[in-house]
Amino acid sequence: MLFNSLTFVLFFSVIVMVHYSPLAWRYKKTSLLAGSYLFYAAWNPPFVLLLLLSTLVDWHLAQKIHSSSSNSRRKKWLWLSLSFNLGLLVLFKYSGFLLENFQALLSLFNIAVAFKDPGFILPMGISFYTFQTLSYTLDVYFKKLKPHSSFRDYALFVSFFPQLVAGPIVRAKDFLPQLKKQNWISFIAFSLGISLFILGLFEKTVLADAFFAPMVDTVFNSSSAPDQLSSWLAAGFFYAQIFCDFAGYSLCAIGCALCLGFKLPLNFRSPMAAIGFSDFWQRWHISLSSWLRDYLYIPLGGNRLGSFATFRNLMITMLLGGLWHGAAWTFLFWGLLHGLYLVLERGVKQLNFSERLKHSYFTQTLMMVLTFLLVMLAFVFFRANSMQQALMIITAMFTSSEGTALLSWKLWTQIVVAAFIGLISLQILFKNKRLTDILSALPIPARALFLSFCLILIAISSGNSDAFIYFQF
Amino acid sequence: MPSSIFNSKTSWLWTWLLVLLICATSLYSYEKFLQKKGFIASIEQNKDLWSWYRSSLGKHKKELVILGASRSQLDLNIPYLKNKLNDYHITQLSINGHYPLYSLQSLAQDENFKGTVLLSLNAQALEDFYFDMQKPHNQYYKNKASYYKSLDAYIQAFLQSKFRFLHPLLGLQDLLNFYEANHRFIDVFYVSNKLDQSVFADYSKTNTQALLKHFVSEKEKNYRDKKPTPPGQWLKNVKKLQTLVKKIENRGGKVIAVRFPTDKDHWQLDEQYYPRSQYWDKITGLTKFHFKDIAGLEQFDLPDSSHLDEKDSEDFTEILIEEIFSGLVFSRNS
């Protein structure tokens, strides 16, 4: 089910009514669980079985890990959990990609083998819920968490509908305690939840779908090489599109959860205003970057084993982070670029610059612009249909060679550019502020005008109601 | 001012009241503005909505499904049909610009379907290269559609059928692009899509001469690009049609083919490339009606040479249905 669908409004209304009815908490949790499975089944009913299987397997394996007395047995059960979860990902997400590249590799040695594409449908949100269940078994393995006593609560933690298909990736230690008793929220908190949902929907349907996506598609779906202006606009607009799409989804998820009395972690904090790449990753898809940090980078040794090992660990983490987004060389290259950015940044930080220079307004602004541009360049690979297309667009950005003017400088383009600049400016202006604080601090008429503006534009903008980009991951 | 003042329960209550007031006033004013300009509410036809209606087939004792392209969408008046044949479950499955043979095949293969098909047919529709035109809709219905997506499309279409400001062609980008090019608000549309997937056209809202010229020149180009198969060879496709019809009729269903009208230069072109005596008249094995054979159907003006104006669709449907009744295809309602 999509947040930007009318059926979701009906679905959510029923969920809220049941949630605030006089029923006992255990029945409400059961209804939330049933609702979450219904939410998932709306997309493709048979795949709820996969979700259930993933839930059951990790539930039992976590129990096994906890009850095993010897370390070797604990390790064995952990490996089983890792193999199962990563196996699911490989099967559904990467098998076609792996076979295709294995075939290409064999052809280099003149071995002609034709593998048939298995053609699996990618289950929606599989990357999110497998990471969520994995974090549970890993936390139990590292003795940060004891297995939960209620299977229903655990199943609800895995399938909780606001964040099921596109995050934020929630940790068991943060979510399961919230299921102990119902958190009756105030009208203010409920209002904030609804406001976040409206704002998220505005980012998705108006900014991402109606404003940025058509511009981006014009360039990336064309077989002609774009001219310089079109390639710069497409690269910048895609950065804005994916931000509005994904941050919009996260806001909807956080808003819905808040209306039901649950707190989900913040997933984006003005990433366009980041100064440096480690700052960027503390602001962009925070729940994934912290997951990769805690369960991959740190177990690999983090920055504790010297410069070389740190650089290696950064590269491995970012490459796998890139691959997490999709089975294509473009995603892998996107991860590679971010790994390189982080390694370079670490290298530069080790040089001895004076504190005054480091913190001067000029340096900070320069670093912000540089971070923005390099992140934007990396996103060209993320969006491109192939490495060749990405290189073609980047070449067009930096050469004044003849290309097709795929985007013209007409009124609509100017409005989209204004929205793009507005988006960046707001992130710089409210860089370290929470949206809930900003909304709470607004005077009543300003708040009402702002929310009305969002709602009216949602109603009258007829952008394609594309599925959220992150559903495919 | 401390934020607690703005963050009290009362302040949020006022916020939502103001939001309601602003949204309702703005959207109501915009709706009235569009109404005054002459706009009519219209829905977006898409594969999910089509699947919604397609999934309703095979569940009723008496059902009539309309297959075709734009002519069967614009010429047939579905509200009139529903009123006239009130014991029938009537479903409009025509798809603009797409000949319907693939959908007929899909219905023939659907063992649950035992109803009546009103098939908009002409000689060109039977060409091999046009057979698969409606395949994407049917494949989407079979492989990708879900109850949720169809329901969502239906709710969306229901709202679009009520409010002009939800018109799929009145998006912000459409409005601004038109304004930039013409320095005025977008012109009213002469075509409106209804919730039941029928289409109405008010040709008084458009330049019919330009439209006529456009339709005829496009048809001429189409006939030049897609040359007709010689009659002898073409008859093989009639056999294919007969097999599909037989499949439906063996289950107790019925297929009625109707050649909807074209006129002016359009009809001349039809006759030039697909002479009736060599093509249409050779179609056998199903009940068929040609507009030239039904008294009264030729009297209607087709402003663009291919479709009826909405003011004529009810009369046209009445004459056509009466003719079909007289052929004892349907049982007449008392």
Side-chain angles (χ1 to χ4, degrees), chain A residues 1-2 4-8 10 42-43 45 187-188 191-192 194-195 198 206 210-211 214-215 409-412 414-415 439-445 447-449 451-452 455-457 459-462, chain B residues 3-16 18-20 22-23 26-27 30 44 144 146-149 151-152 155-157 159 165-174 176-177 179-180:
Chain A
M1 205 176 283
L2 297 175
N4 53 328
S5 67
L6 293 157
T7 20
F8 178 75
L10 297 177
W43 164 71
F187 179 67
I188 298 168
S191 296
L192 281 169
I194 296 285
S195 304
I198 292 171
V206 179
F211 278 49
M215 296 281 188
W409 192 245
K410 54 185 183 181
L411 181 62
W412 180 249
Q414 291 162 31
I415 287 173
L439 279 168
S440 301
L442 279 176
I444 298 167
R447 190 160 63 198
L449 270 174
L451 291 170
S452 305
L455 281 170
I456 290 167
L457 280 186
I460 64 167
S461 69
S462 62
Chain B
S3 68
S4 58
I5 292 173
F6 302 120
N7 204 25
S8 66
K9 185 178 171 181
T10 329
S11 85
W12 274 103
L13 204 62
W14 274 110
T15 302
W16 293 123
L18 267 175
V19 166
L20 194 69
I22 295 168
C23 288
S26 310
L27 292 177
Y30 187 38
E44 182 191 352
K144 290 187 174 169
S146 69
Y147 180 75
Y148 151 70
K149 285 194 269 188
L151 174 66
D152 200 60
I155 298 173
Q156 171 105 7
L159 291 176
F165 64 79
L166 295 176
H167 196 297
L169 298 175
L170 286 176
L172 276 178
Q173 191 178 353
D174 302 307
L176 283 166
N177 284 344
Y179 182 81
E180 189 181 21

Side-chain angles (χ1 to χ4, degrees), chain B residues 23-41:
Chain B
C23 288
T25 312
S26 310
L27 292 177
Y28 179 78
S29 310
Y30 187 38
E31 179 71 10
K32 282 287 155 197
F33 168 77
L34 293 174
Q35 186 183 16
K36 209 174 161 189
K37 284 260 173 198
F39 285 94
I40 292 172

Side-chain angles (χ1 to χ4, degrees), chain A residues 192-207 244 247-252 255 426 434-436 438-439 450-451 453-455 458, chain B residues 16:
Chain A
L192 281 169
I194 296 285
S195 304
L196 292 182
F197 184 82
I198 292 171
L199 196 56
L201 216 52
F202 172 77
E203 285 189 6
K204 161 67 184 162
T205 57
V206 179
L207 295 179
C244 292
Y249 186 91
S250 292
L251 271 185
C252 288
L426 283 173
R434 282 173 171 266
L435 259 174
T436 44
I438 298 166
L439 279 168
F450 173 67
L451 291 170
F453 173 76
C454 292
L455 281 170
I458 290 167
Chain B
W16 293 123

Side-chain angles (χ1 to χ4, degrees), chain A residues 65-127:
Chain A
I65 292 170
H66 184 69
S67 60
S68 301
S69 47
S70 73
N71 269 342
S72 63
R73 285 189 75 80
R74 287 167 60 81
K75 203 170 263 180
K76 194 182 83 182
W77 293 121
L78 176 71
W79 273 109
L80 193 60
S81 169
L82 288 171
S83 310
F84 172 76
N85 285 293
L86 299 177
L88 276 186
L89 276 181
V90 168
L91 182 71
F92 285 102
K93 196 166 175 173
Y94 303 108
S95 52
F97 175 70
L98 290 173
L99 284 175
E100 185 190 318
N101 284 286
F102 187 52
Q103 190 175 309
L105 185 70
L106 289 178
S107 71
L108 289 178
F109 300 100
N110 288 328
I111 304 170
V113 186
F115 294 112
K116 201 180 163 199
D117 185 346
F120 290 120
I121 300 172
L122 180 65
M124 193 184 271
I126 189 170
S127 308

